[in-house]
Amino acid sequence: MNPRTQEIRQSGPPQVGAGSVAPSAAFCVQLSSTRRGARLARLLATQWLDEHAIPYRSTSSHHAALVVAELAANAVRHCGSVGRDFRLRLTLTGTASAGRRLRLRVEVTDARADKPLPPRGSEPPGPDEESGRGLLLVDALADRWGDRTDDRITKTLWAELALPGERPSALPVPVEQAQGPGRAEFS
């Protein structure tokens, strides 16, 4: 890492230790409305959460990544054209102490206020349809979610998640990684 990058990273918010996280931390980035932009949104979100007390391989990180990915993919699908970027904003509130109750708000703003969301409770997609399940995933993972029209041009989809902040991973380890000298195979 070059000295300037190291200086910038060190001058940022304090790293989280065993104590607590700042009462509110935020991250905001504007990305291109492309598949690559949506992928980058997910990767940046998990990296930022890892730096703010939500470990990369935790269930909370995976849930947040899915919500970010679905909201970003929605923005790309409905806004994806030259010159129409989307903005990802993450806000983390709460404390990382004994109770470890953090809340994450994910906001994705795109430049297509003229494209409203389908009404809630509308017919789910059929088994042969290739799209239409993203907001169902968001609904399943988020405590609350919704949309707002910011002005004549932009709209924002948002979701809020409660993050227990478990350490380090509640996900199963793949069998090929779990095996080794003296390790049994798990299925």
Side-chain angles (χ1 to χ4, degrees), residues 100-179:
R100 289 191 56 90
R101 211 55 181 164
L102 299 171
R103 292 201 62 77
L104 175 67
R105 183 174 175 97
V106 178
E107 296 180 2
V108 174
T109 303
D110 65 43
R112 288 304 300 260
D114 60 324
K115 288 236 179 181
L117 292 176
R120 285 195 191 187
S122 60
E123 195 66 29
D128 295 333
E129 294 183 47
E130 292 183 12
S131 64
R133 292 170 184 79
L135 293 178
L136 294 174
L137 284 171
V138 171
D139 190 47
L141 294 172
D143 298 327
R144 306 180 329 141
W145 70 275
D147 68 310
R148 70 173 186 266
T149 302
D150 301 320
D151 52 39
R152 292 182 337 137
I153 299 170
T154 61
K155 78 171 178 301
T156 300
L157 271 70
W158 58 268
E160 293 182 355
L161 296 88
L163 304 176
E166 70 278 1
R167 290 237 187 251
S169 176
L171 297 175
V173 176
V175 172
E176 54 274 359
Q177 289 181 6
Q179 292 178 346

Side-chain angles (χ1 to χ4, degrees), residues 5-86:
T5 303
Q6 192 171 14
E7 178 185 325
I8 290 169
R9 292 198 103 193
Q10 289 175 351
S11 66
Q15 294 295 318
V16 177
S20 66
V21 106
S24 180
F27 173 78
C28 187
V29 64
Q30 187 165 335
L31 299 162
S32 64
S33 287
T34 61
R35 290 178 17 200
R36 185 180 218 169
R39 179 177 180 268
L40 188 56
R42 179 181 52 83
L43 294 172
L44 289 170
T46 55
Q47 176 63 36
W48 182 80
L49 287 170
D50 187 52
E51 293 172 0
H52 289 85
I54 306 298
Y56 179 72
R57 290 188 46 82
S58 68
T59 302
S60 294
S61 178
H62 285 281
H63 287 184
L66 273 172
V67 169
V68 167
E70 292 304 332
L71 294 182
N74 189 59
V76 167
R77 179 173 175 85
H78 299 292
C79 180
S81 61
V82 176
R84 291 187 183 245
D85 295 344
F86 71 93

